[in-house]
Amino acid sequence: MSGTTPRHDRHHHHPEVHKVSGRWAWFCGCGSASCRTRLDPVPWHQVVVEALGHATTIAA
């Protein structure tokens, strides 16, 4: 090990898609998540598209 801590890219969003309680959702390190805006089940491909849309925004 080099003894250094990993750097986090604070200028871009990096959401991850996971299956939670039988539903697909995306979560981002900025605190945003699809499960906070929608309660109905959504197909996996739609969640991925939403996560990609979030990833294209520049973090403030």
Side-chain angles (χ1 to χ4, degrees):
M1 284 181 77
S2 64
T4 61
T5 57
R7 293 172 140 183
H8 296 287
D9 182 358
R10 297 182 190 272
H11 300 289
H12 298 91
H13 295 282
H14 300 283
E16 297 179 4
V17 175
H18 298 279
K19 195 166 193 176
V20 180
S21 300
R23 294 181 177 154
W24 289 104
W26 61 263
F27 303 92
C28 184
C30 73
S32 293
S34 62
C35 62
R36 294 189 182 134
T37 58
R38 175 178 285 145
L39 298 176
D40 57 326
V42 181
W44 173 83
H45 64 275
Q46 184 174 342
V47 174
V48 170
V49 170
E50 291 174 2
L52 289 171
H54 179 76
T56 61
T57 60
I58 300 296

